[in-house]
Amino acid sequence: MLHLRVIASRDQSSAVVELLAADPGVTHLVVLPGAARQPAGDYVTCDVVRESADGVLSRLQELGVEARGAIAADDVELTLSEAADRAAEEAPGHGEDAVVWDEIAAKTGEQTVLTGTFLALIVVATMIAGIGVLLDQPILIVGAMVVGPEFGPLAALCVALLRRQPRVVGHSVKALTVGFLVAMAATALSTWALTAAGLVDRDMLLAERPMTDFIWRPDALSWVVGLLAGVAGMLSLTSKKSGSLVGVLISVTTVPAAANVAVASAYGVWHEAAGSALQLVINLAAIVLAGLLTLVVQLCWWRHVARRAAHAVPRQRADRRPAPVSASRRPRRDDG
């Protein structure tokens, strides 16, 4: 369930209240006339079940509320209310599967900014993976997967492609491109530094590495894993399921491949660098494609649910309408 806070101008307030009151998924509606000061207007709050939230937010934006007022939403962790239970029963679909597109766009949009923290995390993750590649240590690869922040821009790219937002697409591509290039350059430099210190050498890269050689040998399964990772990651993002383990799964196909490109390039093992680069491109493309297709399926499904709910409302109202009283059964007026 989401808690909505709406500031509506005086001329929009009645329409906003009517809209919210008419939706079966909305409950705990409170109206404070003239309570808002900046921007000025009426302060309206309510709780809305997640399966109805996207439709409510869309209709509020169609009224132009955000242009002259404000719309804010927060997750409600605990609600003890029979009214909320009834709203959840009457709203179409299931809350755990509900997609709130504005929430997803806001969440992923924050991940497209090329910040110092993002660069630091992807550099550290790639350096850890580079050491793991040389030592053939899966545990270091897993550590790099946990640290890697690259799924944020990948998810934002999928959402922006679906919503046709070229500006966000550009920011996502920039964050991914610059992030991986900086991380690979830093990993190559760290490889040379570790080699100069006598901690690693070229023979470690050329030796048999049965635990990590899959990173630079792409095959059909690389594409399959990338697709599955994209589906899992997007479902985790849209359904508010726990995404930590999914984030680990996503990173396995990206950060380690970038690290292997850097290490192999540092030692001049170009065939391995090329194989790792191909692995990276395949997996990035598969993740984006799978994430985009997942979003399309979810969009079509929830539109179908909304249409069914719209058809069901008139029937439910008709069923609830009292039957007409026949003339023979009408009570007689007492004229006396």
Side-chain angles (χ1 to χ4, degrees):
M1 179 167 280
L2 293 179
H3 179 65
L4 295 187
R5 305 188 307 279
V6 180
I7 296 177
S9 60
R10 293 294 181 86
D11 57 328
Q12 292 177 324
S13 180
S14 59
V16 169
V17 174
E18 289 176 8
L19 183 157
L20 295 174
D23 194 292
V26 174
T27 187
H28 308 151
L29 180 60
V30 178
V31 182
L32 301 176
R37 292 291 181 267
Q38 188 178 359
D42 296 346
Y43 184 64
V44 183
T45 69
C46 66
D47 292 332
V48 54
V49 294
R50 290 190 63 85
E51 48 267 48
S52 295
D54 189 65
V56 169
L57 290 172
S58 297
R59 291 192 293 274
L60 287 173
Q61 291 175 75
E62 288 172 4
L63 291 176
V65 174
E66 78 282 4
R68 299 168 59 187
I71 305 171
D74 297 311
D75 281 315
V76 178
E77 298 296 335
L78 175 64
T79 301
L80 303 176
S81 167
E82 291 186 5
D85 294 339
R86 286 194 300 270
E89 291 175 0
E90 294 181 8
H94 299 281
E96 291 187 355
D97 298 328
V99 180
V100 184
W101 294 102
D102 288 307
E103 179 187 47
I104 295 170
K107 185 187 302 182
T108 56
E110 297 174 355
Q111 306 297 323
T112 63
V113 181
L114 190 61
T115 63
T117 301
F118 175 82
L119 285 176
L121 285 174
I122 198 167
V123 165
V124 170
T126 308
M127 291 173 120
I128 293 173
I131 297 173
V133 163
L134 290 171
L135 298 179
D136 195 31
Q137 283 291 335
I139 191 169
L140 294 178
I141 300 297
V142 172
M145 294 188 284
V146 174
V147 177
E150 73 282 3
F151 184 63
L154 286 171
L157 178 59
C158 296
V159 175
L161 288 172
L162 179 68
R163 295 168 68 99
R164 299 177 183 177
Q165 298 173 320
R167 180 170 168 272
V168 180
V169 170
H171 288 168
S172 301
V173 172
K174 177 183 176 181
L176 289 168
T177 303
V178 174
F180 276 117
L181 288 177
V182 170
M184 286 189 286
T187 302
L189 291 174
S190 69
T191 301
W192 288 330
L194 293 173
T195 303
L199 298 176
V200 297
D201 57 57
R202 190 171 185 270
D203 292 337
M204 297 173 69
L205 182 70
L206 299 176
E208 289 293 325
R209 292 180 285 127
M211 304 299 294
T212 58
D213 64 353
F214 71 93
I215 295 173
W216 64 276
R217 291 178 176 173
D219 53 21
L221 287 178
S222 302
W223 180 256
V224 173
V225 169
L227 289 174
L228 294 175
V231 172
M234 197 54 64
L235 287 176
S236 172
L237 176 69
T238 58
S239 63
K240 297 189 70 65
K241 299 289 185 182
S242 175
S244 353
L245 294 179
V246 176
V248 174
L249 175 61
I250 295 292
S251 299
V252 70
T253 58
T254 53
V255 165
N260 209 83
V261 171
V263 174
S265 299
Y267 285 134
V269 185
W270 301 114
H271 70 282
E272 190 165 326
S276 303
L278 180 59
Q279 178 82 280
L280 178 62
V281 171
I282 288 174
N283 290 315
L284 288 175
I287 289 170
V288 172
L289 177 61
L292 181 59
L293 290 177
T294 302
L295 290 175
V296 170
V297 170
Q298 289 179 303
L299 178 63
C300 294
W301 168 252
W302 280 102
R303 283 181 176 175
H304 171 69
V305 170
R307 284 195 297 268
R308 288 184 58 186
H311 292 320
V313 168
R315 290 199 300 268
Q316 290 174 356
R317 290 176 178 173
D319 293 340
R320 294 174 183 174
R321 190 177 302 160
V325 180
S326 62
S328 61
R329 298 183 61 185
R330 288 175 183 166
R332 295 181 180 178
R333 293 178 58 188
D334 187 359
D335 294 332

